[in-house]
Amino acid sequence: MTSLTDTLWDLVDEAATNSNCLKKQVGAAIIRNKDHKVLATGYNHHNAACDCLGDKKGTSKHAEIMALENLTKTQKARNKSLNIVVGHKPCVPCLLALANMTYIYYKDQNNNNSKHCLKKCSKCNKHLDISKFSVRLTGRYKGHSLSMCKKCSVANCNEFDRTFSGCISNIYSTQIQSSKKRGHTLPTYSLTQLSSRLVNDFVFQLIYTNWVNLNFNTDMKPSLDRLNSNKPYTLNNLKIGTWLENKKNFEQEVFDGKHLKSGRSGLKVVRQLTLGNVEVAVFNSLAIAERATSIQAESIGNCCRHAQAKGKNGLLYTHKTAGGFKWEFI
């Protein structure tokens, strides 16, 4: 793996040379997670017939087990997060013995010695391939994988979102995303201020309790909308309802052309002009313009965007008019 130096892999290969197994020589090294300092090494060893390849006769000791035995009690006590590097894919019994390891690095000798990494999930406690973990995109540990696997992370978020505080936090995050999308200023209040208001709001508590009793039905989830959709989120511009109620309100306002700053072309103000550039009318959206003029909204939008299309002769042309009129976004 890229997170390990070639020196560590060479150390494991060197430890393997001490093995008395004639079929497969395997080395292992236990390292400290924070700085990869080597604490103990081991190699596979057998007293009679070797079972490294599945032969159950005789007794043997795998490299991982020897490395664990060579780790002192003091080292175990002082180092809470340990990794192990193995020259071969660990067997099931060894994986059980390595249950406390944070990372397990190994070479797959059956696949051109390709290097792999298993990481222990902090929630389900399973060692999974590193690809099963999301990577931090920002912050001090940018590029590092999360402590929980993707599956557990989703489950953990869902569990938190269903709590009272998690529901409010989810609403606040959605408001920030919506404000950025519509070009509005961000909410003028903090998450703490929003929480303080909703904790004491009887209507919000009633909707939340009903949502829980209905087994977290999405349509009945508590939601906050703006009294005036074209103004930013403020504590004085909020109305409480269910997700379904706010969805229907939004759809009606889209139909009425009230969302003028959403960033979506279908909701922008559009001006109708004659071919001589004389203003005829102004409409709050393409949909309203279509209903008023019977000219397709798609054609009006293509004209406003000066979209290009290929004609019957194979040449590109630019939409300049729609329905015998010029059109432009305001």
Side-chain angles (χ1 to χ4, degrees):
M1 302 295 294
T2 55
S3 57
L4 289 183
T5 63
D6 291 336
T7 303
L8 283 173
W9 290 110
D10 292 340
L11 179 65
V12 169
D13 293 338
E14 182 180 349
T17 59
N18 296 316
S19 173
N20 62 351
C21 178
L22 300 178
K23 294 181 179 180
K24 188 182 294 291
Q25 294 182 321
V26 180
I30 295 178
I31 59 177
R32 196 160 53 189
N33 186 36
K34 63 179 181 180
D35 56 8
H36 288 182
K37 178 182 178 181
V38 178
L39 302 179
T41 59
Y43 51 87
N44 60 326
H45 176 80
H46 71 93
N47 297 322
C50 179
D51 72 344
C52 293
L53 297 180
D55 183 3
K56 301 302 180 183
K57 298 179 181 179
T59 59
S60 68
K61 183 179 296 183
H62 287 191
E64 304 94 308
I65 304 302
M66 180 180 287
L68 286 172
E69 292 178 350
N70 290 337
L71 195 65
T72 65
K73 293 183 179 179
T74 302
Q75 290 174 325
K76 291 180 182 179
R78 290 181 178 178
N79 301 282
K80 301 299 182 181
S81 183
L82 298 174
N83 306 335
I84 189 167
V85 186
V86 189
H88 189 272
K89 184 176 181 179
C91 63
V92 174
C94 286
L95 281 175
L96 294 175
L98 300 175
N100 292 327
M101 293 293 163
T102 305
Y103 289 91
I104 299 176
Y105 302 90
Y106 69 90
K107 289 182 181 179
D108 190 349
Q109 296 185 6
N110 298 324
N111 188 20
N112 299 322
N113 283 332
S114 58
K115 298 173 183 177
H116 301 269
C117 174
L118 302 178
K119 182 177 181 178
K120 183 180 180 181
C121 173
S122 61
K123 188 173 181 66
C124 65
N125 291 323
K126 295 179 181 178
H127 280 99
L128 304 170
D129 189 84
I130 194 66
S131 63
K132 300 295 183 182
F133 293 80
S134 298
V135 177
R136 297 182 187 273
L137 301 178
T138 58
R140 177 183 177 185
Y141 297 101
K142 179 181 179 180
H144 291 242
S145 58
L146 299 178
S147 61
M148 286 188 286
C149 65
K150 295 177 181 179
K151 184 177 180 180
C152 289
S153 294
V154 171
N156 192 62
C157 288
N158 290 338
E159 290 176 5
F160 175 71
D161 288 346
R162 290 178 173 182
T163 64
F164 191 84
S165 58
C167 179
I168 298 176
S169 178
N170 183 264
I171 290 174
Y172 185 71
S173 299
T174 303
Q175 289 176 347
I176 293 178
Q177 295 172 8
S178 177
S179 298
K180 291 180 179 179
K181 179 180 178 181
R182 300 178 190 279
H184 289 301
T185 57
L186 296 181
T188 59
Y189 45 82
S190 65
L191 175 59
T192 302
Q193 291 173 321
L194 180 63
S195 299
S196 298
R197 171 174 173 174
L198 296 180
V199 164
N200 300 316
D201 192 289
F202 175 76
V203 176
F204 187 86
Q205 292 179 347
L206 187 64
I207 295 176
Y208 174 79
T209 302
N210 186 51
W211 178 51
V212 174
N213 293 335
L214 292 175
N215 197 26
F216 304 103
N217 185 309
T218 301
D219 289 346
M220 306 308 295
K221 182 178 181 179
S223 179
L224 296 182
D225 201 359
R226 289 164 295 175
L227 294 171
N228 187 331
S229 300
N230 294 308
K231 291 184 178 180
Y233 286 103
T234 64
L235 291 177
N236 295 324
N237 191 34
L238 293 177
K239 60 180 177 181
I240 301 172
T242 64
W243 181 87
L244 182 61
E245 289 174 347
N246 288 338
K247 178 176 180 292
K248 290 181 178 179
N249 290 337
F250 173 79
E251 292 173 347
Q252 184 62 44
E253 289 180 351
V254 169
F255 184 83
D256 296 336
K258 294 182 179 179
H259 282 274
L260 308 182
K261 300 180 181 179
S262 68
R264 294 171 52 187
S265 59
L267 303 178
K268 289 182 178 179
V269 178
V270 61
R271 176 186 288 129
Q272 182 185 18
L273 304 166
T274 66
L275 298 181
N277 292 325
V278 178
E279 182 178 300
V280 177
V282 174
F283 304 98
N284 282 341
S285 71
L286 292 178
I288 293 178
E290 179 180 12
R291 292 196 295 272
T293 63
S294 298
I295 302 172
Q296 290 186 353
E298 182 180 1
S299 299
I300 298 174
N302 288 335
C303 181
C304 293
R305 290 186 290 270
H306 305 291
Q308 290 187 328
K310 186 176 290 187
K312 295 181 179 180
N313 57 4
L315 300 177
L316 291 176
Y317 70 93
T318 303
H319 290 274
K320 295 182 179 180
T321 63
F325 296 93
K326 290 183 179 181
W327 300 84
E328 63 183 13
F329 287 131
I330 299 178

